[in-house]
Amino acid sequence: PITFSAWDIVLAPNDWIYVFPKGTNDTRISCINLLDGSEVLSDGIQIHGNTKARLHPSGEYIYGWRNGLSPFDAEKYDIRNGPAIYLYESPYHGEHEFVEQPWISDDGQRIFTAQGKIFNTSTNPSEDLIYQGSLGIEHNLWILAFDHNMLRNRICAVYFDYHQEPDQRRDQHLRPRRR
């Protein structure tokens, strides 16, 4: 059992669970070994509470997105040896916001953000989290739901006008397109 409020979790194929705490303070990821039930905290610098997380398809890394801390940014953690180790953040300090929770492509080569921006992923830190372009959606629109089929070279997104109040966001749009 964890002793704090969880904001997000990742169940990895290495028999570990990674629990990202809720809150606005600097904290650590709780790493729970499913084989023996032991818990250790992540290594490296602390993370910000309310970090959303996604497992990379390789099963070797987790990407995290800081929410509620300006500037919004992306981070990478190594989980190859079990407990999470903070590696680095994107090279963009506020230039490209990673707001809400981006999606990682099935092949693990791209990250798509709620603002329609595309970033490269790589095991090489100098090529990881590098801006690659945009899906071409209008500036005031955010992606609410996203899916892709890399074999068919297609993406599909539901997006909304984020300037509208949440109860006014009835006009959601579906946009399928070839990538």
Side-chain angles (χ1 to χ4, degrees), residues 143-163:
I143 296 173
L144 178 66
F146 180 87
D147 205 355
H148 49 85
N149 183 314
M150 300 313 274
L151 293 175
R152 304 288 273 161
N153 198 29
R154 289 196 182 269
I155 61 171
C156 186
V158 174
Y159 56 96
F160 66 93
D161 185 339
Y162 74 88
H163 289 297

Side-chain angles (χ1 to χ4, degrees), residues 88 91-92 120-132:
Y88 48 81
Y92 309 106
N120 189 54
T121 65
S122 175
T123 55
N124 180 341
S126 66
E127 297 174 4
D128 199 16
L129 295 167
I130 301 299
Y131 179 73
Q132 296 296 306

Side-chain angles (χ1 to χ4, degrees), residues 47-122:
I47 67 162
H48 185 72
N50 292 353
T51 294
K52 296 299 283 182
R54 282 286 187 251
L55 179 68
H56 185 271
S58 70
E60 297 179 344
Y61 302 97
I62 295 173
Y63 284 92
W65 291 273
R66 292 192 309 239
N67 287 291
L69 178 68
S70 183
F72 294 89
D73 208 349
E75 303 170 335
K76 187 174 187 178
Y77 320 100
D78 185 339
I79 61 168
R80 290 176 289 181
N81 294 318
I85 300 171
Y86 176 96
L87 293 177
Y88 48 81
E89 66 182 12
S90 82
Y92 309 106
H93 191 71
E95 185 178 341
H96 297 288
E97 289 188 342
F98 292 83
V99 179
E100 298 299 323
Q101 184 151 325
W103 296 267
I104 301 175
S105 64
D106 291 338
D107 62 6
Q109 295 181 8
R110 291 173 202 83
I111 294 173
F112 301 92
T113 72
Q115 298 79 24
K117 295 181 180 182
I118 305 167
F119 293 84
N120 189 54
T121 65
S122 175

Side-chain angles (χ1 to χ4, degrees), residues 25-28 42-48 66 75 86:
N25 296 323
D26 287 341
T27 186
R28 299 206 179 268
S42 59
D43 202 4
I45 70 168
Q46 292 185 324
I47 67 162
H48 185 72
R66 292 192 309 239
E75 303 170 335
Y86 176 96

